[in-house]
Amino acid sequence: SRRLQDLLVAAQVALSLVLMIAGSMAIRSSIRTVAIDTGYESKHVFALVDIQFPESMKYSAPQKRLLIDELRKRLAALPGVASITNARPPADAGFRTRAATLDGDPSRTANTQASLHYAYVEPNFFEALGIPLTLGRGLPEQAGRAVIVSESAAKELWPGQSPIGRSLRLGATDEQSHNLSKLVADGPAYQVVGVARDTRAAEFHASDSKRVYLPMPTDRLPLYPILIRTRSEPAQIISGLDAILSSIDPNMMATCSTLEDMQRESPPFIVASFTALIASSIGLVGLLLALMGVYGTVSYIVVLRTREVGIRMAIGAQKRHVLGLILRESARPILAGLIAGSLLAAGVSYLARGLLYGLNDVDGISLAGVSLLFLIVGLLASYPPAWRATRVDPMAALRYE
């Protein structure tokens, strides 16, 4: 009976530990997801997105371009504005292609099937968003066939080699996440002139960090949002935006948002925050139930040993010796359960390493913390009934049941 009871306690501790570790890993992964380093400046950059002109007014493309240019000039003249550029916000992964031809060699196309994201940017895009160039130079002022690739894209396309001066021709676009422009990158080859630090957008498995930055054609500027970097908090400039728009053209409208807010409002970040909340709630309830179960089971087993304690006390055992014996024997199945649960949790962590962002191996902090908590609860569950049993009159204990 004792062995069966100990086995049940060990099994309960092991299974509870695995569940708690899994929940803890989900919470820590969600926290790391929300706190991800995007690789670009988001706090002091805001975007004018969805710049609209009334359909009934029938603005021509040159008219829109003139109004956009005037808006950029007005914004650039404001105190506190550091830089202005036109491009999609980095949180928008943009276009994607699954094939590229390297150095004019069609036979190497099959070796570059990794997903590559590409976006059209102005030459000052990297300066405006605080993205450093780690190799080479920036894009030329005149749009041509020069491109900049991210560090991850360079490693994917030319592993162990310098990409500077290499030729790159992108394949057909298989996904278009933005419908403001039909401009695609397939066609003549581009020459790599620089390498930029990786940035992250909407996908947390790092595939969106493999990017190719193409020069923005000037006639496409009105189709892209305006990104404004400020030297301080952008709230003051944003508050006066309506007046600037009205002074240029009362019919022109635009939606404004900081890159930080756009990042928080992106679906992956919302999912990560919601996952953290749900995992925390379920984990807390599960932890309480598991601790109550361990406490109740261990304390009940100790109560059943009241007669045994009475016999030991009757034949001369000291209270401290009996108390220590019960605590050691109560801790034994808990330790066995922790060892078994740790092995199972390590296996679960290994299998889930590709599903949880930022956790590539066993989460030692969660494992040690939850294990220590179960051990403390088990000892606390053993101590009160054991202490009460040592204070029972031995003759009363012998008559127990």
Side-chain angles (χ1 to χ4, degrees), residues 54-336:
E55 293 288 340
S56 59
M57 303 296 292
K58 295 183 179 180
Y59 286 80
S60 64
Q63 287 176 319
K64 292 181 180 180
R65 173 65 190 274
L66 290 175
L67 292 174
I68 295 295
D69 288 343
E70 180 64 22
L71 177 59
R72 284 172 55 112
K73 291 178 182 178
R74 296 281 189 92
L75 291 172
L78 293 176
V81 172
S83 183
I84 294 180
T85 188
N86 278 67
R88 286 195 181 94
D92 183 352
F95 298 99
R96 183 167 62 185
T97 179
R98 293 191 181 276
T101 302
L102 307 181
D103 305 321
D105 184 0
S107 65
R108 297 189 61 189
T109 302
N111 299 325
T112 57
Q113 294 299 316
S115 176
L116 295 175
H117 292 263
Y118 66 91
Y120 291 91
V121 300
E122 289 190 281
N124 68 336
F125 171 81
F126 304 96
E127 177 187 359
L129 272 74
I131 304 174
L133 297 179
T134 58
L135 193 65
R137 58 181 176 84
L139 293 174
E141 290 296 330
Q142 299 296 326
R145 307 304 297 179
V147 297
I148 290 178
V149 297
S150 67
E151 293 174 328
S152 294
K155 292 177 182 178
E156 176 74 24
L157 301 176
W158 295 280
Q161 305 176 46
S162 172
I164 303 300
R166 309 298 284 267
S167 172
L168 171 65
R169 186 172 68 84
L170 300 177
T173 302
D174 69 347
E175 180 179 333
Q176 188 172 316
S177 59
H178 202 287
N179 59 7
L180 289 181
S181 174
K182 301 299 182 182
L183 187 63
V184 292
D186 54 343
Y190 292 87
Q191 183 182 34
V192 179
V193 298
V195 178
R197 186 180 67 179
D198 283 347
T199 60
R200 304 294 298 275
E203 300 172 6
F204 297 119
H205 44 71
S207 67
D208 61 357
S209 63
K210 300 172 185 177
R211 295 194 169 208
V212 179
Y213 299 95
L214 310 174
M216 171 86 71
T218 55
D219 61 336
R220 296 283 177 165
L221 286 177
L223 300 177
Y224 286 82
I226 301 176
L227 307 180
I228 303 99
R229 180 174 182 174
T230 63
R231 299 185 180 89
S232 58
E233 294 296 330
Q236 185 175 1
I237 297 176
I238 293 176
S239 63
L241 182 61
D242 289 338
I244 296 176
L245 291 172
S246 299
S247 65
I248 297 174
D249 189 326
N251 299 314
M252 187 166 55
M253 298 176 293
T255 303
C256 183
S257 178
T258 65
L259 296 193
E260 199 171 32
D261 290 338
M262 295 176 69
Q263 179 180 321
R264 292 197 198 99
E265 294 168 1
S266 64
F269 279 84
I270 294 176
V271 171
S273 301
F274 185 72
T275 300
L277 177 62
I278 296 299
S280 300
S281 302
I282 296 178
L284 180 60
V285 174
L287 180 61
L288 291 176
L289 291 175
L291 295 180
M292 290 172 60
V294 172
Y295 185 91
T297 304
V298 173
S299 60
Y300 176 67
I301 292 175
V302 176
V303 169
L304 293 180
R305 301 180 66 179
T306 301
R307 183 170 180 272
E308 174 194 341
V309 172
I311 295 175
R312 292 180 182 275
M313 297 290 291
I315 62 178
Q318 298 295 318
K319 292 183 178 180
R320 65 178 184 275
H321 295 155
V322 174
L323 187 60
L325 174 66
I326 293 179
L327 290 178
R328 286 194 302 271
E329 293 186 356
S330 298
R332 190 179 303 154
I334 296 177
L335 289 174

